[in-house]
Amino acid sequence: MLAVNANHIVPASGLRCRQITETDVDAVASLLARGFPAHSREFWLGAFAQLKRHDTPPGLPKYGYLLESAGVVVGAILLICTSIRTGDTTAIRCNLSSWYVDPPFRPYAPMLVSQALRRRDVTYLNVSSAPHTRPIIEAQGFSRYCDGIFVAIPMLNGLFGGPRVKVFDADKEPHVSFDAGDQQMLREHAAHGCISLWCATAERAYPFVFRPRVVRGGIPCAQLIYCCDVAEFVRFAGPIGRRLARYGKPFVIIDANAPIAGLYGWYSAGNMPKYYKGPRRPRLGDLAYTEHAVLGV
């Protein structure tokens, strides 16, 4: 997001935009703590530790870009760049996150975005837009692909019958067919603090990733980060929901454009909309390697 509160504009002399390097982490963490008071400097240092662990495709920034004036960091935008496998092909996806510029330098904030959006072969995501930034995002050429969320109570599904499956943590290897790429993805997300689960039938194992959340002042829930298809979550909602309830997460937040048939819960239009720009429209049910998964924001 980008706040708008500039009350003094400084000249552009001595101003430059460049990639964030390892030696910039402390300064950028302090900047982001100023810009996003809900998160401490220690939180942002932890976020950079997660980005350092993340496997970034060659030729793309490890952390993002910064704006500096006379050697002082005055703005930053974090990027999470990932090679995403779709069938037999891979494509690069990049999540723009945590965009902040100190007020006197706010008119130069577009320099950060222009650097971040340079690659035409990359699909860019914005998954946490503040309401006042959405006109700016759309002016930058982003399109909305998700209009809201569905809040489900999956443990209510299949109370009197349902699919015979086993749900277990990703640190255990399934005894049925599974995708090795899914296993790697589950383990990487578990390392980022997500709940990574296998849901195994007699034929194969299906991957699911959730981010623990606390919303509306204390309601525990889990955000669906990844599944191969939302229909698979609906199919296995009961067993997964009861597993999550054991973690103290009875509610699940799912990206949606309408109510989801087959689930108990409610649809909230306009809540947490998500945007993309680039060659590949993202699908619902796939927030893997975004800020929600990697940074926990």
Side-chain angles (χ1 to χ4, degrees), residues 28 51 169 236 260:
V28 177
L51 288 174
D169 292 340
F236 303 122
I260 301 177

Side-chain angles (χ1 to χ4, degrees), residues 65-86:
Y65 291 93
L66 62 77
L67 197 63
E68 65 179 359
S69 175
V72 177
V73 177
V74 296
I77 185 168
L78 303 186
L79 303 180
I80 308 173
C81 303
T82 311
S83 292
I84 300 294
R85 181 172 55 90
T86 304

Side-chain angles (χ1 to χ4, degrees), residues 194-256:
C194 294
I195 299 172
S196 293
L197 301 173
W198 286 114
C199 186
T201 67
E203 292 77 30
R204 61 162 295 186
Y206 300 81
F208 293 89
V209 179
F210 302 88
R211 166 60 72 177
R213 296 284 186 196
V214 177
V215 299
R216 293 181 182 253
I219 301 174
C221 62
Q223 181 182 11
L224 177 62
I225 295 295
Y226 183 85
C227 62
C228 295
D229 192 307
V230 173
E232 291 177 359
F233 178 81
V234 176
R235 177 186 175 190
F236 303 122
I240 292 173
R242 288 185 280 279
R243 179 77 180 200
L244 291 173
R246 289 169 54 186
Y247 289 110
K249 312 295 180 186
F251 303 99
V252 175
I253 299 170
I254 307 167
D255 287 343

Side-chain angles (χ1 to χ4, degrees), residues 18-104:
R18 62 173 175 82
Q19 285 191 27
I20 299 170
T21 67
E22 192 75 27
T23 59
D24 300 313
V25 166
D26 284 345
V28 177
S30 297
L31 173 85
L32 295 176
R34 288 199 307 273
F36 302 97
H39 297 301
S40 66
R41 183 174 182 275
E42 288 68 29
F43 170 88
W44 292 109
L45 289 173
F48 276 106
Q50 297 285 54
L51 288 174
K52 185 175 182 179
R53 180 184 294 115
H54 178 65
D55 186 15
T56 303
L60 289 164
K62 183 68 177 174
Y63 301 111
Y65 291 93
L66 62 77
L67 197 63
E68 65 179 359
S69 175
V72 177
V73 177
V74 296
I77 185 168
L78 303 186
L79 303 180
I80 308 173
C81 303
T82 311
S83 292
I84 300 294
R85 181 172 55 90
T86 304
D88 296 328
T89 64
T90 59
I92 297 175
R93 194 168 72 185
C94 182
N95 178 197
L96 281 68
S97 173
S98 311
W99 178 22
Y100 175 76
V101 179
D102 279 335

